[in-house]
């Protein structure tokens, strides 16, 4: 029952925004679930943060693709847990591998697989160093404190829309400036 309520609330939050990201990327450890995979055994039954499944389901229902970018050194355990939680098939890309690049390699692979521009992605992670690095790629990135929840969702969509609006305003300024210059040069050529 809790997952459905969260899904309904998440859908309402999403409905408040003009633009949704084309792809939402999630870290795993301490973002979707409250533990590090390398500290667990494949035999255990994992659990998600209380809002996570409802939020994932809401994105799927809205037609927004979701992916995983995890620097876990135990990809086998992470993949087993995704299977046990019956959420593996929800993700269009699952980049789970150990890395020192703070997820730039993960995002390059996700971009190659999906074709989604970085500026059309939203990312949730619990590590500030990943947030900083991925933000520099043009991805709207949100730091989560206690896993992904409805508050983080609202913050993420707010920041994503602000970034889209800023980008659109800059594009319009550039187009106005460019079209203004071309019309004045055409006038000069006619003289």
């Amino acid at each position: 029952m809790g997952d459905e309520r969260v899904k309904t609330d998440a859908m309402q939050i999403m409905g408040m925004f003009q633009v949704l990201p084309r792809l939402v990327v999630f870290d795993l450890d301490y973002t979707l679930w409250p533990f590090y995979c390398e500290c667990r055994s494949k035999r255990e039954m994992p659990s998600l943060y209380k809002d996570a499944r409802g939020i994932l389901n809401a994105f799927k229902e809205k037609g927004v693709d979701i992916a995983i970018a995890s620097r876990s050194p135990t990809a086998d355990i992470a993949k087993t847990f995704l299977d046990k939680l019956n959420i593996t098939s929800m993700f269009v890309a699952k980049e789970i591998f150990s890395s020192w690049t703070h997820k730039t390699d993960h995002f390059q692979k996700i971009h190659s697989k999906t074709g989604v521009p970085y500026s059309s992605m939203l990312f949730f992670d619990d590590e500030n160093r990943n947030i900083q690095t991925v933000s520099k790629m043009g991805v709207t990135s949100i730091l989560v404190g206690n896993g992904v929840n409805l508050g983080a969702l609202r913050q993420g969509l707010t920041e994503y829309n602000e970034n889209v609006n800023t980008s659109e305003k800059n594009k319009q300024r550039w187009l106005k400036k460019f079209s203004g210059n071309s019309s004045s040069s055409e006038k000069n050529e006619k003289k």
Side-chain angles (χ1 to χ4, degrees), residues 66-82:
I66 57 177
I68 294 168
S70 173
R71 293 188 312 117
S72 175
T74 53
D76 56 330
I77 294 174
K79 290 174 183 172
T80 298
F81 286 175
L82 291 169

Side-chain angles (χ1 to χ4, degrees), residues 176-191:
K176 187 175 180 180
K177 181 178 179 181
F178 179 76
S179 65
N181 287 344
S182 65
S183 61
S184 63
S185 63
E186 287 172 11
K187 290 176 189 171
N188 290 338
E189 288 175 16
K190 290 179 182 176
K191 287 183 180 176

Side-chain angles (χ1 to χ4, degrees), residues 44-190:
E44 293 179 59
M45 185 61 196
S47 61
L48 295 169
Y49 278 107
K50 72 177 183 67
D51 290 356
R53 187 179 302 272
I55 289 170
L56 296 175
N57 286 331
F59 276 123
K60 292 308 284 182
E61 187 159 316
K62 283 283 193 179
V64 176
D65 285 334
I66 57 177
I68 294 168
S70 173
R71 293 188 312 117
S72 175
T74 53
D76 56 330
I77 294 174
K79 290 174 183 172
T80 298
F81 286 175
L82 291 169
D83 286 341
K84 284 186 172 190
L85 291 164
N86 293 317
I87 59 174
T88 301
S89 63
M90 296 178 92
F91 300 96
V92 297
K94 293 176 285 300
E95 295 302 327
I96 307 169
F97 56 88
S98 188
S99 168
W100 294 104
T101 64
H102 307 305
K103 302 202 176 167
T104 53
D105 290 347
H106 296 75
F107 273 82
Q108 287 167 352
K109 289 178 184 239
I110 289 169
H111 170 69
S112 293
K113 285 181 180 175
T114 63
V116 175
Y118 298 125
S119 61
S120 296
M121 295 181 190
L122 173 59
F123 173 50
F124 294 96
D125 196 304
D126 68 309
E127 290 188 48
N128 194 46
R129 61 186 174 167
N130 295 329
I131 295 297
Q132 297 300 318
T133 305
V134 173
S135 290
K136 289 176 184 167
M137 299 175 80
V139 177
T140 301
S141 303
I142 303 301
L143 183 67
V144 297
N146 293 311
V148 70
N149 57 42
L150 292 171
L153 172 66
R154 184 185 309 268
Q155 178 189 356
L157 292 174
T158 299
E159 288 187 25
Y160 179 80
N161 274 263
E162 287 170 359
N163 290 343
V164 167
N165 289 337
T166 299
S167 176
E168 190 57 35
K169 285 177 187 169
N170 289 339
K171 181 179 166 185
Q172 292 304 321
R173 273 192 215 111
W174 184 86
L175 287 171
K176 187 175 180 180
K177 181 178 179 181
F178 179 76
S179 65
N181 287 344
S182 65
S183 61
S184 63
S185 63
E186 287 172 11
K187 290 176 189 171
N188 290 338
E189 288 175 16
K190 290 179 182 176

